[in-house]
Amino acid sequence: MAGQWFESVAEAQRRAKKRLPKSVYGALVAGSEAGYTLDDNTSAFRELQFAPHVADLAPERSLSTTIMGQDISIPVMISPTGVQAVNPEGEVAVARAAASRGTAMGLSSFASRSVEDVAAANDKTFFQMYWVGDRETLAARAERAKRAGAKGLIVTLDWSFSHGRDWGSPSIPEKMDLKTMIKYIPEGITRPRWGLQFLKAGFIPDLTVPNIPVDGSAPPTFFGAYGQWMFTPPPTWADVAWLREQWGSDLPFCVKGITRVDDAKRAVDAGATAIQVSNHGGNNLDSTPAPIRVLPGIVEAVGRDVEVIMDGGVRRGSDVVKALCLGAKAVAIGRAYLWGLAANGEEGVGNVLDILKGGLDSGLLGLGKSSVQELSPEDLLIPSTFTRQAGVA
C-alpha cells in the first residue's frame, strides 16, 4: 500500500516484528541451537571491505545476468522457504513481486501455495524438493512441477532443522482449528492487523502444504510433511543422479545445501548444472560457517563446471556485491523478502528487491564497474583469516 515504503531491510524486519504475532515472527528469525551459524551468516559480511575508485567511474551499469537458464534483471533470486503464513497471498504475492522486478522465484515443496498457482504468477519459477517419499513419489512430484511450468529443479539436501534453540523454539501449531485459534487469541489481540488481513481475504492461515501430494489426495499439514521428510531415508549421491535423470538432462538442476568442496564436486558428478552454497539460513547444524566464507573455495573447485548461487545473511545490496566478487553467479534471499511480505505484502517484497538493486548499483559505481560480470576478488580487502574450507583433497 502507498505510504508504507521502507528504506532498508532492517526497517522491513522492524515492521514485520511489530505486525506479526510473536510465534509467527519467531518462526521467521529462528536459527538452531546457540545461533552461532545464524550470527555468522550476517556478521561475516562485515569483515569484507571494498577497494573503491574515485574517477573514471562507469556512468551506466548493467545489473542483469542469467541463472539456471533464465535471464534475470538483477543477480538476486527468491530462495524457497516453507509455509508463508505472514500474508494471505503468500508465495503468489512473492512470485508476482519477483516477476515485476524481472527475477526468478524459488518455490518450496513445503509452500502454502501450489506450484501451479505460483508458476502462473512468475514464469521464472524453480521448484524446490526435499527428499520426501520413495522414488516413484519423487519422480511424480518432479513431473507435476514440470507440467506446471517450473523452469528448473532445486533439490535441498541439508538434512534437518535442529530441535533445540537456546532462546526457545517458536510455537507453531499443527493446524488452525477452533481450539488452536482460541489458544492463540491473546497473541492475535496484540497484533490485530495481521488477523484482519486474513479475515478480509475470507480465510484463516492455512498450514497445509499442497505441493506434497501427487495422487490427488488431501495435502498434509506442514508438520505432517516434515515428519515424512524426517522418516524418509537420506538420499545417496546415486539417488541424486537418478533424480537428475528423471527431471531431464536438458533442464536446469540445482543441488542446495553445499558447504564443502568434496560435496560440490559430487554434485557436479551427479549431473547438477548449479549448486546453492547454503546452510539453510542457520537452521541446520549449528557452528557451520557462513556461506560467504566457504564460497571462494567452492567457486575455485567447481565454478567452471556449474553456476554457483549463494544464500545466507544477505541484507543489503553491498552484500550482493561481495558475494559476486567472490564468485557467486547470483544470490538468493529468504528472511529479507519474508520481512517485506509481512510489512507490506507484494509491494513489500518488491520494496526489498528495489533496496538490494539500489545498493548493488551503488557498489558497482564505487568500484568502477560497468557490469556485475566484471566484479572480482580484487575489488575486496579480504582478511587472511576470513575463508573456510572443508573437503579439499
Side-chain angles (χ1 to χ4, degrees), residues 252-269:
F253 183 89
C254 177
V255 175
K256 179 176 180 288
I258 301 294
T259 61
R260 297 171 55 102
V261 169
D262 51 359
D263 279 349
K265 291 179 177 179
R266 295 299 297 271
V268 173
D269 291 342

Side-chain angles (χ1 to χ4, degrees), residues 91-180:
E91 293 85 0
V92 170
V94 177
R96 286 200 300 257
S100 72
R101 267 62 177 186
T103 196
M105 171 75 185
L107 178 69
S108 174
S109 55
F110 286 1
S112 62
R113 298 295 296 267
S114 72
V115 63
E116 290 81 7
D117 287 347
V118 171
N122 189 324
D123 64 1
K124 302 178 192 296
T125 292
F126 307 134
F127 184 65
Q128 176 267 350
M129 284 177 49
Y130 290 105
W131 207 267
V132 179
D134 57 22
R135 280 191 170 191
E136 181 180 358
T137 301
L138 288 158
R141 192 171 296 127
E143 182 60 30
R144 175 187 168 184
K146 191 186 301 182
R147 289 197 308 269
K151 299 299 194 297
L153 194 67
I154 301 172
V155 182
T156 298
L157 295 186
D158 48 351
W159 50 272
S160 165
F161 294 154
S162 170
H163 293 287
R165 298 178 172 96
D166 288 7
W167 54 93
S169 297
S171 175
I172 304 175
E174 171 70 19
K175 59 182 178 179
M176 291 300 291
D177 54 18
L178 180 61
K179 181 179 178 181
T180 302

Side-chain angles (χ1 to χ4, degrees), residues 22-365:
K22 181 179 179 181
S23 58
V24 178
Y25 178 75
L28 295 189
V29 298
S32 62
E33 296 185 335
Y36 296 135
T37 292
L38 183 66
D39 291 341
D40 197 40
N41 281 2
T42 53
S43 63
F45 282 100
R46 301 172 200 156
E47 298 178 31
L48 296 170
Q49 297 177 308
F50 289 121
H53 293 282
V54 295
D56 292 330
L57 305 181
E60 296 181 0
R61 296 159 298 280
S62 172
L63 309 184
S64 63
T65 191
T66 301
I67 197 72
M68 293 178 66
Q70 301 300 306
D71 294 328
I72 54 178
S73 62
I74 54 174
V76 180
M77 58 176 278
I78 299 297
S79 198
T81 61
V83 177
Q84 294 176 7
V86 300
N87 178 275
E89 294 187 300
E91 293 85 0
V92 170
V94 177
R96 286 200 300 257
S100 72
R101 267 62 177 186
T103 196
M105 171 75 185
L107 178 69
S108 174
S109 55
F110 286 1
S112 62
R113 298 295 296 267
S114 72
V115 63
E116 290 81 7
D117 287 347
V118 171
N122 189 324
D123 64 1
K124 302 178 192 296
T125 292
F126 307 134
F127 184 65
Q128 176 267 350
M129 284 177 49
Y130 290 105
W131 207 267
V132 179
D134 57 22
R135 280 191 170 191
E136 181 180 358
T137 301
L138 288 158
R141 192 171 296 127
E143 182 60 30
R144 175 187 168 184
K146 191 186 301 182
R147 289 197 308 269
K151 299 299 194 297
L153 194 67
I154 301 172
V155 182
T156 298
L157 295 186
D158 48 351
W159 50 272
S160 165
F161 294 154
S162 170
H163 293 287
R165 298 178 172 96
D166 288 7
W167 54 93
S169 297
S171 175
I172 304 175
E174 171 70 19
K175 59 182 178 179
M176 291 300 291
D177 54 18
L178 180 61
K179 181 179 178 181
T180 302
M181 286 189 285
I182 292 172
K183 176 183 176 182
Y184 282 88
I185 282 176
E187 279 195 38
I189 290 174
T190 63
R191 299 291 189 271
R193 288 189 299 168
W194 177 77
L196 285 174
Q197 67 179 346
F198 281 93
L199 291 177
K200 289 179 180 179
F203 63 94
I204 60 175
D206 189 357
L207 299 179
T208 59
V209 287
N211 293 312
I212 292 297
V214 295
D215 57 0
S217 59
T221 65
F222 174 83
F223 284 106
Y226 184 86
Q228 292 180 39
W229 176 31
M230 294 304 296
F231 285 101
T232 299
T236 64
W237 283 113
D239 289 326
V240 177
W242 166 84
L243 182 59
R244 201 279 175 271
E245 291 179 1
Q246 299 301 307
W247 176 245
S249 59
D250 58 333
L251 297 173
F253 183 89
C254 177
V255 175
K256 179 176 180 288
I258 301 294
T259 61
R260 297 171 55 102
V261 169
D262 51 359
D263 279 349
K265 291 179 177 179
R266 295 299 297 271
V268 173
D269 291 342
T273 60
I275 60 171
Q276 192 160 332
V277 179
S278 172
N279 56 37
H280 219 123
N283 278 304
N284 199 340
L285 189 61
D286 200 22
S287 294
T288 301
I292 192 71
R293 294 191 189 278
V294 301
L295 176 65
I298 291 172
V299 168
E300 182 180 2
V302 301
R304 291 176 295 275
D305 304 313
V306 292
E307 296 177 323
V308 180
I309 306 164
M310 192 217 79
D311 75 76
V314 174
R315 303 289 184 268
R316 299 168 184 82
S318 59
D319 296 338
V320 180
V321 176
K322 291 171 182 177
L324 299 182
C325 285
L326 295 183
K329 187 75 179 293
V331 303
I333 58 171
R335 288 182 177 89
Y337 78 78
L338 289 173
W339 291 328
L341 181 65
N344 195 22
E346 179 182 335
E347 292 187 22
V349 178
N351 194 157
V352 165
L353 290 169
D354 289 343
I355 289 167
L356 298 179
K357 178 181 180 180
L360 171 61
D361 186 59
S362 293
L364 286 183
L365 175 63

